[in-house]
Amino acid sequence: MMTRITRLGRHGCDLVEALGRAGMFLGQSLVGRPSVEGFKLWLRQMHFIGVLSLAIVLVSGLFIGMVLALQGFTILVDFGAEDALGQMVSLSLLRELAPVVAALLFAGRAGSALTAEIGLMKATEQLSSMEMIGVDPLKRVVAPRLWAGFVSLPLLTVGFSVIGIWGGHLVGVEWLGVYEGSYWGNMQSSVDFVDDIGNGMLKSLVFALVVTWIAVFQGYDLVPTSEGISRATTRTVVYSSLAVLGLDFVLTALMFGELG
Amino acid sequence: MKRSKMMEFGVGLFMLAGIVGIIFLGVSVSGLTVGGGKDTYTLQANFANIGGLKSQARVTMAGVTVGRVENIELDTEWYDARVTLALDSRLEDQLSRDTTASILTSGLLGEQYIGLSVGGDPDTLADGDTITDTQSALVLEQLIQQFVANMATD
C-alpha cells in the first residue's frame, strides 16, 4: 500500500518535471536573435516539413471536400436545400475539418519524423558532441524545426481548405448538378473572413505550436535506445492527436459557442 | 549548391501558394471586398417585436441588399426593440419620411431580415432619423394562437 502511494507520488512528480522541462525547452529554443545561418537551417526544415507534406495534405483535402459534398448533397436534397451545399462544405472545412485533419496528418507525417530524427541524433550522441564543440543543439537543431512547424501547418491548412472547396465544387456542381452560382453565392454570403477563416487559421496556428512542440520535445527527451526512439515516436503521434482533438473542442467552444 | 537553390525555390513556392490560398479564401469564399467598408449612414426603427432578428442581418429594398442591422437594444422608455440600421450612404436623404420597415423571413425557415419600402412623403430621412412606420416580425406561435382562438369563437 505504502509503495503504491509512493509510486503515485513519484509519477506525479515526474509529470510535473516533464512539463517543466518541456516549457523550459520551448523557451530556450525560441529565444534568440535571428541569423542568416538560422534562416538557412529553417529553410531546409521548411522544405522537409512543409513542402514534402503538401502532397498528402492536398490529396486528403481533395477527397474530404468531395465526400463532404456527396454526403451533404444526399441529406440536403431531401429538404430541397441543395443550394446550401457550398455553405455547408466551406464552413465545415474552414472551421473544423481543415485545421484538425491537416494537424493530424501533420503529426503523422512530419511530427513522427521529427521525433525519430532528433531521437537518433541523441542516441548517436550527435547532440552531446555539438555541445562539446560549443554549438547549442537547441539553437542549431531544435529551433529551426520548431519555427518551420509553426509556419508550415497554417499554410498546409490553407491548401487543405482551398482544395477541399474545389473538390466540393467538382462533386457538387460538375457531377451532381448544383447550380454553380448558388454554390459560390451562398458560400460568400455565409462565410465571414474574420469569424470563419480567421478563427480557422488561429486554430491551425495553435495546433502547429502544440504538435511541433510535442514532436520535438519527445525526440529531445527520449531514452537514447532503439526502443526509446520507437516509444517516443508512438507517443508523439498519440499525444499530438489527443492534444489536437481536445484543444479543438475547447477552441471551438470559445470561438463559435455562445460562451464568448 | 544547385540542390539548395531548388529547395529555396520550393519553399518559396510553398509559401507563395499559401498566401495565394488565403487571398482566394478571402475573395472567392468569404466574398471580401477590397477597399474597406462602404460609406454608410444610420437610421433607427422601433419594433414591438423583432422575433429572431439578429445584428448583422440584411436590410433590403425591393429584394436588393442596401445595408445591415448594426445594433439591437431594448428601448427602456417604450419597452420595445430599438434597431439601428446602417444603410448605403447613396440612399441618404433619398428615402421618404413615411418609409416602412418590416421584419421579413427569407423562405419558410430562413433567416430574418428587414425590408424597407418607400412611401410618398416629399420629406426625406436624414442620418440618425427614426423610421416611425414599422411592422413587427411574424411570430408563428402568436399566429397559431389567433387561429385557434378564431376557431373557438366560430
Side-chain angles (χ1 to χ4, degrees), chain A:
Chain A
M1 190 61 200
M2 233 15 227
T3 49
R4 277 206 186 152
I5 295 175
T6 335
R7 204 180 298 153
L8 193 69
R10 194 164 58 231
H11 275 302
C13 287
D14 282 351
L15 189 73
V16 175
E17 241 176 63
L19 271 178
R21 271 206 308 279
M24 272 166 61
F25 165 83
L26 187 71
Q28 280 171 8
S29 330
L30 294 187
V31 175
R33 278 178 300 131
S35 60
V36 180
E37 183 68 15
F39 179 75
K40 277 191 182 144
L41 289 168
W42 173 79
L43 210 65
R44 179 184 290 277
Q45 290 309 319
M46 275 298 285
H47 182 255
F48 174 69
I49 296 177
V51 178
L52 297 183
S53 303
L54 205 57
I56 181 177
V57 166
L58 290 187
V59 171
S60 319
L62 181 67
F63 281 118
I64 286 192
M66 282 161 64
V67 164
L68 267 180
L70 203 55
Q71 290 277 18
F73 184 82
T74 51
I75 294 170
L76 289 172
V77 80
D78 287 346
F79 303 100
E82 66 268 27
D83 285 348
L85 189 69
Q87 162 179 357
M88 201 211 91
V89 169
S90 61
L91 282 182
S92 30
L93 273 172
L94 289 169
R95 287 184 177 180
E96 203 58 57
L97 284 171
V100 171
V101 178
L104 294 178
L105 290 171
F106 184 79
R109 158 71 180 69
S112 56
L114 284 179
T115 307
E117 192 187 8
I118 296 179
L120 200 67
M121 280 185 186
K122 188 177 182 186
T124 52
E125 292 180 348
Q126 293 180 42
L127 295 182
S128 26
S129 341
M130 271 184 201
E131 261 170 25
M132 209 82 84
I133 56 170
V135 175
D136 185 358
L138 288 181
K139 298 270 179 296
R140 167 93 199 171
V141 175
V142 172
R145 287 173 171 75
L146 283 172
W147 282 114
F150 299 166
V151 178
S152 311
L153 184 51
L155 290 175
L156 290 171
T157 305
V158 172
F160 192 104
S161 302
V162 170
I163 204 135
I165 288 168
W166 181 70
H169 175 265
L170 213 62
V171 168
V173 177
E174 309 280 336
W175 181 23
L176 296 169
V178 174
Y179 174 55
E180 184 163 10
S182 56
Y183 183 83
W184 293 107
N186 266 328
M187 194 188 290
Q188 285 174 7
S189 66
S190 61
V191 176
D192 186 82
F193 188 73
V194 176
D195 283 350
D196 298 320
I197 300 178
N199 276 338
M201 286 298 106
L202 197 64
K203 264 188 183 178
S204 134
L205 195 66
V206 173
F207 296 160
L209 287 170
V210 171
V211 171
T212 326
W213 183 19
I214 290 178
V216 176
F217 179 69
Q218 288 296 343
Y220 196 76
D221 201 49
L222 51 70
V223 183
T225 56
S226 46
E227 195 191 0
I229 293 177
S230 85
R231 284 212 178 146
T233 314
T234 313
R235 269 208 301 273
T236 294
V237 177
V238 173
Y239 288 176
S240 29
S241 308
L242 285 178
V244 164
L245 295 171
L247 271 175
D248 180 51
F249 175 72
V250 176
L251 288 174
T252 308
L254 287 176
M255 286 167 178
F256 304 111
E258 299 295 320
L259 300 169

Side-chain angles (χ1 to χ4, degrees), chain B residues 52-127:
Chain B
L53 189 75
K54 293 193 178 64
S55 101
Q56 294 299 316
R58 283 182 303 141
V59 178
T60 65
M61 199 160 205
V64 181
T65 304
V66 294
R68 302 219 160 254
V69 172
E70 200 168 72
N71 189 27
I72 299 171
E73 59 191 2
L74 188 70
D75 187 339
T76 44
E77 199 179 332
W78 297 98
Y79 291 101
D80 54 8
R82 186 161 187 77
V83 176
T84 310
L85 312 174
L87 299 180
D88 195 333
S89 58
R90 278 177 303 175
L91 290 173
E92 192 169 1
D93 299 324
Q94 299 285 323
L95 301 177
S96 67
R97 193 151 280 283
D98 57 351
T99 296
T100 50
S102 34
I103 298 180
L104 307 168
T105 310
S106 61
L108 193 59
L109 300 166
E111 59 182 27
Q112 290 193 302
Y113 64 98
I114 291 185
L116 297 178
S117 48
V118 278
D121 199 317
D123 285 348
T124 56
L125 292 163
D127 189 22

